[in-house]
Amino acid sequence: WDAIPLWHGYTLYAMAVKGGATGQSLTSPSSCLRHYSPVLTAQCQISLDGSCNFFSSNDYTYFLRNTKKLITKRVGHLGGADEDDTQASYISRCRVCMVKI
C-alpha cells in the first residue's frame, strides 16, 4: 500500500475545558494539529466600543511528549518548532496520511 502524506503536526492527547475533559483518539486525524499552541481555547469579551478583547480561560491542553531530554533553562512558549528551546520542540510529532489501495 502506498501512503500519501496529507500533513504533519503535533500530537494532541486531551483537553480540559470548563471543568470537563475530553480525550483524543491517537489514531484520529484530529489528534494531529498542524500548528502548536499551548493555549488552544480563547474567549472574546465584547467591549463597549464593540471591539473584541481576547483572553484565555483556565483550560488545559495535553500533548504527547517526545523523548528529547529536557533543557534545564526556562522553556519559552513562543518561537518556531525547529528551535531547541521552545515548548514545541518537546511535543511528539505526527503525520496524517491517506492510504492508496
Side-chain angles (χ1 to χ4, degrees):
W1 294 353
D2 291 329
I4 301 166
L6 299 177
W7 73 85
H8 62 277
Y10 300 90
T11 309
L12 175 67
Y13 179 68
M15 294 177 65
V17 180
K18 295 185 181 179
T22 180
Q24 286 291 122
S25 169
L26 296 178
T27 60
S28 170
S30 62
S31 70
C32 188
L33 302 181
R34 291 182 183 179
H35 304 285
Y36 170 76
S37 174
V39 181
L40 291 178
T41 59
Q43 297 177 359
C44 175
Q45 183 177 20
I46 304 295
S47 63
L48 294 175
D49 66 358
S51 63
C52 181
N53 298 316
F54 286 100
F55 65 95
S56 61
S57 55
N58 292 329
D59 301 336
Y60 296 95
T61 53
Y62 300 92
F63 289 87
L64 231 51
R65 188 186 182 289
N66 61 23
T67 58
K68 180 180 176 182
K69 185 177 179 182
L70 286 173
I71 298 173
T72 56
K73 65 181 180 176
R74 179 175 164 80
V75 176
H77 69 277
L78 297 176
D82 296 326
E83 297 175 26
D84 286 341
D85 63 345
T86 63
Q87 285 181 354
S89 68
Y90 295 97
I91 304 300
S92 174
R93 300 302 302 263
C94 53
R95 179 172 296 173
V96 175
C97 298
M98 179 174 61
V99 175
K100 218 171 140 178
I101 300 175

